[in-house]
Amino acid sequence: MGARRVAKSVGKHLGEFVTEAVGELLLGFLACILLGGLAFVAYLSWAANPRLTVAGTALACVALAHGAWLTLRDRPTDPKDTPRRGVAAFTTGFFALTSGVTLFLAFYATDCNC
């Protein structure tokens, strides 16, 4: 009875270890692909037109700043002070998506050997 319980426990821990190792490998690989794709898009953009690349980056920074401001500020009590919903939703979503990608790359791409 004791040997069966030990075998089940060892099998359970071994399964968890393999699942965790495969998940870590897949996330690291995905981070490398994402980082390489971002670098490739930046290279293509710069090669096509450097001025538009700088202008697009500035526009993206403004959208990120506005989204961060909407996400992190205190909510107004007066309904007249609320910004337009379309722009606010877009910049907040853009900020959230970019923050998620940045956190993902910070955790996984820094340790990849690609």
Side-chain angles (χ1 to χ4, degrees), residues 78-96:
D78 188 13
K80 294 178 184 176
D81 291 338
T82 57
R84 295 185 56 152
R85 293 189 189 273
V87 174
F90 174 75
T91 56
T92 303
F94 187 60
F95 171 71

Side-chain angles (χ1 to χ4, degrees), residues 2-109:
R4 183 176 291 170
R5 190 177 310 155
V6 170
K8 278 186 177 182
S9 178
V10 168
K12 179 182 169 187
H13 288 297
L14 201 59
E16 287 178 9
F17 173 74
V18 169
T19 304
E20 216 171 284
V22 169
E24 194 72 30
L25 183 70
L26 287 176
L27 284 175
F29 185 67
L30 181 65
C32 286
I33 288 174
L34 184 60
L35 190 60
L38 288 173
F40 185 65
V41 166
Y43 168 74
L44 287 180
S45 176
W46 186 263
N49 194 340
R51 286 184 182 175
L52 282 180
T53 303
V54 172
T57 304
L59 187 61
C61 287
V62 168
L64 285 172
H66 187 255
W69 178 73
L70 287 174
T71 302
L72 303 174
R73 71 182 174 101
D74 291 334
R75 299 286 176 228
T77 55
D78 188 13
K80 294 178 184 176
D81 291 338
T82 57
R84 295 185 56 152
R85 293 189 189 273
V87 174
F90 174 75
T91 56
T92 303
F94 187 60
F95 171 71
L97 178 70
T98 307
S99 299
V101 169
T102 302
L103 286 173
F104 177 73
L105 288 174
F107 285 126
Y108 287 102

